């Protein structure tokens, strides 16, 4: 009985500070309110740690005295605003959403059943991830718990214990994957929060990364990772020709000028046509688990239809956008080419978007023998168009990320952290063609002529 009462007292103390956190979140609307999800993840651990450390302390036995203390345990508007300022959040002095004073019963009402999306949980995660490195360590947890008034949270070792309890790979940090399961329920003092399932999509933003490096990364993530990925590369460093895995230089390239001007030629691990890319090309690649996109069958036509719908949102309101055969076009002029690879239960959809292009570079490409019917034998300059005439570059990138985010919970990942996601050996088929291979292709072209 005595131990039970002590435990209840400790939970009441923790609950008060947790309610304090919830109250100041009310005035911040949907974005900040999701941060309480994160704290509730640690609350049971914190309460347990308090009970263990204090099990030998003297027990409060006067129930009436405790009830009297609870009546004095209220929260004022000023308290809520103070905590907000401590966390670097602005509090509107005139806001009607914060009451002048909250009683214990009113604080308890904050723990009625709520529902949150996985995206809200990600936003909550970001509140605690102070340095925005994609991880939460003991120091960051200590900072927030201290601001919220948790006495146990002021000790770094206590925070380390809580981190370790959720730290799957034992590196002393929690990433988003380690923090949240696809679907779980949180219970605390009658409080329940269920998270609606949404598959997680890791977002990697690149700028000017060499296309060979990008393609090697994509092949690695497709084959050696089990996560979903969205890779956005804003331009590559130098003009480079990229061919599908079955492409033949002698049939697709003006090999002589390519050799003379020392243009790099890459064979990628996916299918698709041949394209020359440079700093004016934007790349978006989507790597997905089949089960996370159940509406898409692991076949090229189904993946293309899904991507066409996704980019339809990006270009909503832009006249003439459509998916035509396997290309993205404005009217009848192509600005986006696609390549795919499908393995077991995963697939990749890679798109090169022509933000702009150099007409001279088009001269390195031959007219392929197999072309889309709508091309009508037009040469490259008559067949393609510039995306910059239809949408701002930065708008395209952000609208693409937003469109993907409607189907996935997005989490940004730094390129430096990729090793923790993709481990082990994998088949590597993306490669740079050698000068000898190009010379052989030129010799083959001469002989056939």
């Amino acid at each position: 009985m005595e131990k039970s009462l002590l435990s209840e007292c400790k939970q009441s103390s923790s609950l008060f500070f947790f309610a304090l956190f919830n109250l100041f979140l009310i005035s911040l609307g949907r974005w900040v309110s999701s941060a309480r999800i994160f704290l509730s993840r640690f609350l049971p651990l914190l309460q347990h740690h308090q009970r263990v450390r204090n099990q030998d302390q003297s027990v409060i036995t006067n129930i009436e005295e405790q009830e009297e203390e609870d009546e004095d345990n209220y929260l004022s508007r000023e308290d809520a605003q103070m905590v907000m300022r401590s966390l670097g959040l602005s509090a509107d002095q005139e806001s009607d959403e914060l009451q002048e004073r909250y009683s214990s019963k009113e604080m308890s009402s904050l723990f009625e059943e709520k529902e949150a999306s996985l995206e809200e949980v990600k936003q909550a995660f970001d509140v605690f991830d102070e340095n925005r490195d994609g991880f939460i360590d003991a120091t960051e947890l200590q900072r927030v718990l201290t601001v919220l008034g948790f006495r146990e949270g002021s000790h770094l070792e206590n925070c380390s214990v809580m981190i370790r309890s959720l730290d799957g790979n034992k590196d002393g940090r929690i990433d988003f994957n380690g923090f949240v399961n696809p679907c779980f329920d949180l219970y605390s003092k009658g409080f329940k929060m269920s998270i609606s399932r949404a598959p997680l999509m890791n977002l990697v933003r690149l700028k000017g990364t060499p296309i060979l490096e990008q393609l090697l990364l994509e092949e690695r993530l497709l084959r050696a990772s089990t996560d979903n990925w969205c890779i956005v590369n804003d331009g590559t460093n130098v003009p480079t020709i990229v061919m599908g895995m079955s492409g033949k230089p002698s049939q697709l390239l003006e090999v002589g000028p390519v050799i003379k001007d020392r243009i790099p030629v890459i064979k990628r691990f996916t299918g698709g046509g041949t394209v020359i890319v440079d700093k004016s090309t934007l790349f978006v690649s989507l790597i997905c688990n089949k089960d996370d996109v159940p509406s898409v069958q692991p076949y090229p036509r189904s993946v293309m239809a899904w991507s066409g719908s996704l980019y339809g949102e990006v270009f909503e309101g832009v006249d003439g956008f459509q998916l035509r055969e396997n290309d993205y076009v404005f009217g009848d002029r192509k600005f986006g080419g696609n390549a795919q690879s499908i393995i077991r239960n995963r697939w990749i959809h890679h798109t090169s978007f022509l933000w702009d292009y150099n007409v001279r570079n088009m001269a390195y490409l031959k007219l392929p023998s197999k072309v889309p019917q709508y091309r009508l034998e037009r040469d490259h300059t008559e067949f393609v168009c510039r995306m910059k005439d239809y949408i701002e570059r930065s708008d395209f990138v952000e609208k693409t990320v937003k469109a993907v985010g409607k189907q996935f919970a997005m989490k940004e990942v730094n390129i430096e952290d990729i090793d923790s996601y993709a481990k082990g050996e994998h088949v590597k088929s993306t490669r740079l063609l050698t000068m000898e291979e190009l010379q052989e292709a030129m010799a083959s072209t001469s002989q056939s002529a």
Side-chain angles (χ1 to χ4, degrees), residues 307-316 318-323 327-331 335 353:
S307 74
S309 175
L310 185 146
Y311 285 112
E313 294 185 28
V314 176
F315 294 103
E316 185 176 1
V318 179
D319 291 338
F321 170 79
Q322 60 180 310
L323 171 64
D327 301 329
Y328 301 127
V329 303
F330 293 123
F335 71 95
F353 291 97

PDB file of all heavy atoms in Angstrom, residues 307-316 318-323 327-331 335 353:
ATOM      1  N   SER A 307       3.898   7.198 -60.696  1.00  0.00           N
ATOM      2  CA  SER A 307       4.756   8.387 -60.748  1.00  0.00           C
ATOM      3  C   SER A 307       4.078   9.518 -61.518  1.00  0.00           C
ATOM      4  O   SER A 307       4.221  10.696 -61.174  1.00  0.00           O
ATOM      5  CB  SER A 307       6.105   8.040 -61.390  1.00  0.00           C
ATOM      6  OG  SER A 307       5.978   7.859 -62.794  1.00  0.00           O
ATOM      7  N   GLY A 308       3.326   9.158 -62.560  1.00  0.00           N
ATOM      8  CA  GLY A 308       2.624  10.184 -63.316  1.00  0.00           C
ATOM      9  C   GLY A 308       1.606  10.915 -62.460  1.00  0.00           C
ATOM     10  O   GLY A 308       1.435  12.136 -62.555  1.00  0.00           O
ATOM     11  N   SER A 309       0.931  10.160 -61.586  1.00  0.00           N
ATOM     12  CA  SER A 309      -0.029  10.776 -60.667  1.00  0.00           C
ATOM     13  C   SER A 309       0.674  11.672 -59.662  1.00  0.00           C
ATOM     14  O   SER A 309       0.199  12.772 -59.347  1.00  0.00           O
ATOM     15  CB  SER A 309      -0.813   9.675 -59.946  1.00  0.00           C
ATOM     16  OG  SER A 309      -1.670  10.230 -58.975  1.00  0.00           O
ATOM     17  N   LEU A 310       1.827  11.216 -59.159  1.00  0.00           N
ATOM     18  CA  LEU A 310       2.589  12.005 -58.188  1.00  0.00           C
ATOM     19  C   LEU A 310       3.045  13.327 -58.794  1.00  0.00           C
ATOM     20  O   LEU A 310       2.867  14.406 -58.207  1.00  0.00           O
ATOM     21  CB  LEU A 310       3.782  11.191 -57.686  1.00  0.00           C
ATOM     22  CG  LEU A 310       4.627  11.804 -56.573  1.00  0.00           C
ATOM     23  CD1 LEU A 310       5.142  10.709 -55.652  1.00  0.00           C
ATOM     24  CD2 LEU A 310       5.817  12.589 -57.127  1.00  0.00           C
ATOM     25  N   TYR A 311       3.631  13.279 -59.985  1.00  0.00           N
ATOM     26  CA  TYR A 311       4.108  14.507 -60.621  1.00  0.00           C
ATOM     27  C   TYR A 311       2.951  15.347 -61.162  1.00  0.00           C
ATOM     28  O   TYR A 311       3.122  16.550 -61.399  1.00  0.00           O
ATOM     29  CB  TYR A 311       5.117  14.177 -61.719  1.00  0.00           C
ATOM     30  CG  TYR A 311       6.458  13.773 -61.155  1.00  0.00           C
ATOM     31  CD1 TYR A 311       6.918  12.465 -61.280  1.00  0.00           C
ATOM     32  CD2 TYR A 311       7.237  14.690 -60.462  1.00  0.00           C
ATOM     33  CE1 TYR A 311       8.132  12.083 -60.736  1.00  0.00           C
ATOM     34  CE2 TYR A 311       8.453  14.311 -59.915  1.00  0.00           C
ATOM     35  CZ  TYR A 311       8.902  13.005 -60.049  1.00  0.00           C
ATOM     36  OH  TYR A 311      10.105  12.634 -59.495  1.00  0.00           O
ATOM     37  N   GLY A 312       1.796  14.725 -61.321  1.00  0.00           N
ATOM     38  CA  GLY A 312       0.612  15.511 -61.663  1.00  0.00           C
ATOM     39  C   GLY A 312       0.304  16.522 -60.576  1.00  0.00           C
ATOM     40  O   GLY A 312      -0.158  17.643 -60.852  1.00  0.00           O
ATOM     41  N   GLU A 313       0.552  16.148 -59.304  1.00  0.00           N
ATOM     42  CA  GLU A 313       0.374  17.091 -58.196  1.00  0.00           C
ATOM     43  C   GLU A 313       1.430  18.186 -58.240  1.00  0.00           C
ATOM     44  O   GLU A 313       1.143  19.352 -57.965  1.00  0.00           O
ATOM     45  CB  GLU A 313       0.455  16.348 -56.865  1.00  0.00           C
ATOM     46  CG  GLU A 313      -0.673  15.362 -56.619  1.00  0.00           C
ATOM     47  CD  GLU A 313      -0.591  14.761 -55.235  1.00  0.00           C
ATOM     48  OE1 GLU A 313      -0.054  15.436 -54.329  1.00  0.00           O
ATOM     49  OE2 GLU A 313      -1.056  13.623 -55.055  1.00  0.00           O
ATOM     50  N   VAL A 314       2.649  17.814 -58.591  1.00  0.00           N
ATOM     51  CA  VAL A 314       3.741  18.794 -58.658  1.00  0.00           C
ATOM     52  C   VAL A 314       3.450  19.860 -59.710  1.00  0.00           C
ATOM     53  O   VAL A 314       3.677  21.061 -59.489  1.00  0.00           O
ATOM     54  CB  VAL A 314       5.078  18.095 -58.959  1.00  0.00           C
ATOM     55  CG1 VAL A 314       6.198  19.129 -59.133  1.00  0.00           C
ATOM     56  CG2 VAL A 314       5.424  17.100 -57.858  1.00  0.00           C
ATOM     57  N   PHE A 315       2.941  19.440 -60.854  1.00  0.00           N
ATOM     58  CA  PHE A 315       2.703  20.357 -61.962  1.00  0.00           C
ATOM     59  C   PHE A 315       1.228  20.749 -62.093  1.00  0.00           C
ATOM     60  O   PHE A 315       0.790  21.167 -63.164  1.00  0.00           O
ATOM     61  CB  PHE A 315       3.183  19.724 -63.271  1.00  0.00           C
ATOM     62  CG  PHE A 315       4.676  19.522 -63.331  1.00  0.00           C
ATOM     63  CD1 PHE A 315       5.218  18.271 -63.131  1.00  0.00           C
ATOM     64  CD2 PHE A 315       5.522  20.595 -63.548  1.00  0.00           C
ATOM     65  CE1 PHE A 315       6.595  18.072 -63.172  1.00  0.00           C
ATOM     66  CE2 PHE A 315       6.899  20.416 -63.602  1.00  0.00           C
ATOM     67  CZ  PHE A 315       7.432  19.149 -63.405  1.00  0.00           C
ATOM     68  N   GLU A 316       0.503  20.623 -61.004  1.00  0.00           N
ATOM     69  CA  GLU A 316      -0.898  21.017 -61.032  1.00  0.00           C
ATOM     70  C   GLU A 316      -1.029  22.490 -61.420  1.00  0.00           C
ATOM     71  O   GLU A 316      -0.343  23.357 -60.881  1.00  0.00           O
ATOM     72  CB  GLU A 316      -1.526  20.801 -59.648  1.00  0.00           C
ATOM     73  CG  GLU A 316      -3.012  21.081 -59.607  1.00  0.00           C
ATOM     74  CD  GLU A 316      -3.620  20.773 -58.256  1.00  0.00           C
ATOM     75  OE1 GLU A 316      -2.880  20.358 -57.336  1.00  0.00           O
ATOM     76  OE2 GLU A 316      -4.847  20.943 -58.115  1.00  0.00           O
ATOM     77  N   VAL A 318      -0.197  23.664 -64.333  1.00  0.00           N
ATOM     78  CA  VAL A 318       0.702  23.940 -65.458  1.00  0.00           C
ATOM     79  C   VAL A 318       0.099  23.323 -66.713  1.00  0.00           C
ATOM     80  O   VAL A 318      -0.119  22.107 -66.779  1.00  0.00           O
ATOM     81  CB  VAL A 318       2.110  23.370 -65.202  1.00  0.00           C
ATOM     82  CG1 VAL A 318       3.019  23.652 -66.394  1.00  0.00           C
ATOM     83  CG2 VAL A 318       2.703  23.956 -63.925  1.00  0.00           C
ATOM     84  N   ASP A 319      -0.172  24.158 -67.702  1.00  0.00           N
ATOM     85  CA  ASP A 319      -0.824  23.688 -68.922  1.00  0.00           C
ATOM     86  C   ASP A 319       0.036  22.675 -69.669  1.00  0.00           C
ATOM     87  O   ASP A 319       1.243  22.872 -69.839  1.00  0.00           O
ATOM     88  CB  ASP A 319      -1.128  24.868 -69.857  1.00  0.00           C
ATOM     89  CG  ASP A 319      -2.220  25.770 -69.298  1.00  0.00           C
ATOM     90  OD1 ASP A 319      -3.000  25.290 -68.459  1.00  0.00           O
ATOM     91  OD2 ASP A 319      -2.269  26.959 -69.710  1.00  0.00           O
ATOM     92  N   GLY A 320      -0.606  21.612 -70.100  1.00  0.00           N
ATOM     93  CA  GLY A 320       0.041  20.669 -71.004  1.00  0.00           C
ATOM     94  C   GLY A 320       0.794  19.540 -70.342  1.00  0.00           C
ATOM     95  O   GLY A 320       1.283  18.640 -71.038  1.00  0.00           O
ATOM     96  N   PHE A 321       0.914  19.518 -68.992  1.00  0.00           N
ATOM     97  CA  PHE A 321       1.679  18.430 -68.386  1.00  0.00           C
ATOM     98  C   PHE A 321       0.917  17.116 -68.501  1.00  0.00           C
ATOM     99  O   PHE A 321      -0.291  17.044 -68.273  1.00  0.00           O
ATOM    100  CB  PHE A 321       1.953  18.695 -66.903  1.00  0.00           C
ATOM    101  CG  PHE A 321       2.516  17.472 -66.217  1.00  0.00           C
ATOM    102  CD1 PHE A 321       3.853  17.148 -66.367  1.00  0.00           C
ATOM    103  CD2 PHE A 321       1.696  16.625 -65.475  1.00  0.00           C
ATOM    104  CE1 PHE A 321       4.372  16.002 -65.777  1.00  0.00           C
ATOM    105  CE2 PHE A 321       2.214  15.478 -64.881  1.00  0.00           C
ATOM    106  CZ  PHE A 321       3.556  15.172 -65.026  1.00  0.00           C
ATOM    107  N   GLN A 322       1.668  16.071 -68.845  1.00  0.00           N
ATOM    108  CA  GLN A 322       1.097  14.725 -68.869  1.00  0.00           C
ATOM    109  C   GLN A 322       2.202  13.687 -68.951  1.00  0.00           C
ATOM    110  O   GLN A 322       3.361  13.996 -69.276  1.00  0.00           O
ATOM    111  CB  GLN A 322       0.136  14.549 -70.055  1.00  0.00           C
ATOM    112  CG  GLN A 322       0.786  14.751 -71.408  1.00  0.00           C
ATOM    113  CD  GLN A 322      -0.205  14.568 -72.545  1.00  0.00           C
ATOM    114  OE1 GLN A 322      -0.924  13.577 -72.611  1.00  0.00           O
ATOM    115  NE2 GLN A 322      -0.271  15.544 -73.448  1.00  0.00           N
ATOM    116  N   LEU A 323       1.846  12.466 -68.586  1.00  0.00           N
ATOM    117  CA  LEU A 323       2.726  11.319 -68.803  1.00  0.00           C
ATOM    118  C   LEU A 323       2.368  10.746 -70.162  1.00  0.00           C
ATOM    119  O   LEU A 323       1.237  10.306 -70.384  1.00  0.00           O
ATOM    120  CB  LEU A 323       2.518  10.275 -67.706  1.00  0.00           C
ATOM    121  CG  LEU A 323       3.215   8.922 -67.920  1.00  0.00           C
ATOM    122  CD1 LEU A 323       4.722   9.091 -67.935  1.00  0.00           C
ATOM    123  CD2 LEU A 323       2.797   7.927 -66.839  1.00  0.00           C
ATOM    124  N   ASP A 327       7.411   9.119 -70.922  1.00  0.00           N
ATOM    125  CA  ASP A 327       8.042  10.435 -70.738  1.00  0.00           C
ATOM    126  C   ASP A 327       7.091  11.404 -70.048  1.00  0.00           C
ATOM    127  O   ASP A 327       5.866  11.299 -70.163  1.00  0.00           O
ATOM    128  CB  ASP A 327       8.439  11.032 -72.093  1.00  0.00           C
ATOM    129  CG  ASP A 327       9.399  10.144 -72.870  1.00  0.00           C
ATOM    130  OD1 ASP A 327      10.195   9.432 -72.226  1.00  0.00           O
ATOM    131  OD2 ASP A 327       9.332  10.163 -74.114  1.00  0.00           O
ATOM    132  N   TYR A 328       7.664  12.395 -69.361  1.00  0.00           N
ATOM    133  CA  TYR A 328       6.896  13.538 -68.881  1.00  0.00           C
ATOM    134  C   TYR A 328       7.029  14.641 -69.916  1.00  0.00           C
ATOM    135  O   TYR A 328       8.144  14.974 -70.348  1.00  0.00           O
ATOM    136  CB  TYR A 328       7.420  14.024 -67.531  1.00  0.00           C
ATOM    137  CG  TYR A 328       7.370  12.961 -66.458  1.00  0.00           C
ATOM    138  CD1 TYR A 328       8.496  12.648 -65.712  1.00  0.00           C
ATOM    139  CD2 TYR A 328       6.196  12.262 -66.193  1.00  0.00           C
ATOM    140  CE1 TYR A 328       8.463  11.688 -64.731  1.00  0.00           C
ATOM    141  CE2 TYR A 328       6.153  11.288 -65.213  1.00  0.00           C
ATOM    142  CZ  TYR A 328       7.295  11.000 -64.489  1.00  0.00           C
ATOM    143  OH  TYR A 328       7.260  10.031 -63.527  1.00  0.00           O
ATOM    144  N   VAL A 329       5.890  15.188 -70.320  1.00  0.00           N
ATOM    145  CA  VAL A 329       5.901  16.171 -71.398  1.00  0.00           C
ATOM    146  C   VAL A 329       5.032  17.368 -71.050  1.00  0.00           C
ATOM    147  O   VAL A 329       4.142  17.292 -70.198  1.00  0.00           O
ATOM    148  CB  VAL A 329       5.388  15.551 -72.727  1.00  0.00           C
ATOM    149  CG1 VAL A 329       6.220  14.343 -73.124  1.00  0.00           C
ATOM    150  CG2 VAL A 329       3.903  15.167 -72.607  1.00  0.00           C
ATOM    151  N   PHE A 330       5.340  18.474 -71.700  1.00  0.00           N
ATOM    152  CA  PHE A 330       4.427  19.614 -71.782  1.00  0.00           C
ATOM    153  C   PHE A 330       3.936  19.647 -73.221  1.00  0.00           C
ATOM    154  O   PHE A 330       4.716  19.895 -74.144  1.00  0.00           O
ATOM    155  CB  PHE A 330       5.137  20.920 -71.428  1.00  0.00           C
ATOM    156  CG  PHE A 330       5.561  21.014 -69.980  1.00  0.00           C
ATOM    157  CD1 PHE A 330       6.895  21.223 -69.652  1.00  0.00           C
ATOM    158  CD2 PHE A 330       4.633  20.903 -68.958  1.00  0.00           C
ATOM    159  CE1 PHE A 330       7.287  21.317 -68.333  1.00  0.00           C
ATOM    160  CE2 PHE A 330       5.031  20.987 -67.629  1.00  0.00           C
ATOM    161  CZ  PHE A 330       6.360  21.199 -67.307  1.00  0.00           C
ATOM    162  N   GLY A 331       2.662  19.361 -73.398  1.00  0.00           N
ATOM    163  CA  GLY A 331       2.154  19.253 -74.765  1.00  0.00           C
ATOM    164  C   GLY A 331       2.698  18.005 -75.418  1.00  0.00           C
ATOM    165  O   GLY A 331       2.431  16.882 -74.995  1.00  0.00           O
ATOM    166  N   PHE A 335      10.359  16.747 -71.320  1.00  0.00           N
ATOM    167  CA  PHE A 335      11.281  17.421 -70.406  1.00  0.00           C
ATOM    168  C   PHE A 335      11.744  16.498 -69.285  1.00  0.00           C
ATOM    169  O   PHE A 335      12.606  16.870 -68.491  1.00  0.00           O
ATOM    170  CB  PHE A 335      10.628  18.663 -69.792  1.00  0.00           C
ATOM    171  CG  PHE A 335       9.551  18.358 -68.788  1.00  0.00           C
ATOM    172  CD1 PHE A 335       9.847  18.307 -67.431  1.00  0.00           C
ATOM    173  CD2 PHE A 335       8.259  18.099 -69.204  1.00  0.00           C
ATOM    174  CE1 PHE A 335       8.856  18.020 -66.509  1.00  0.00           C
ATOM    175  CE2 PHE A 335       7.261  17.819 -68.285  1.00  0.00           C
ATOM    176  CZ  PHE A 335       7.561  17.772 -66.927  1.00  0.00           C
ATOM    177  N   PHE A 353      15.214  15.429 -65.165  1.00  0.00           N
ATOM    178  CA  PHE A 353      14.390  16.545 -65.632  1.00  0.00           C
ATOM    179  C   PHE A 353      15.282  17.602 -66.280  1.00  0.00           C
ATOM    180  O   PHE A 353      16.275  18.043 -65.689  1.00  0.00           O
ATOM    181  CB  PHE A 353      13.630  17.183 -64.462  1.00  0.00           C
ATOM    182  CG  PHE A 353      12.560  16.311 -63.873  1.00  0.00           C
ATOM    183  CD1 PHE A 353      12.815  15.561 -62.740  1.00  0.00           C
ATOM    184  CD2 PHE A 353      11.296  16.243 -64.451  1.00  0.00           C
ATOM    185  CE1 PHE A 353      11.826  14.764 -62.184  1.00  0.00           C
ATOM    186  CE2 PHE A 353      10.306  15.446 -63.902  1.00  0.00           C
ATOM    187  CZ  PHE A 353      10.575  14.706 -62.760  1.00  0.00           C
TER     188      PHE A 353
END
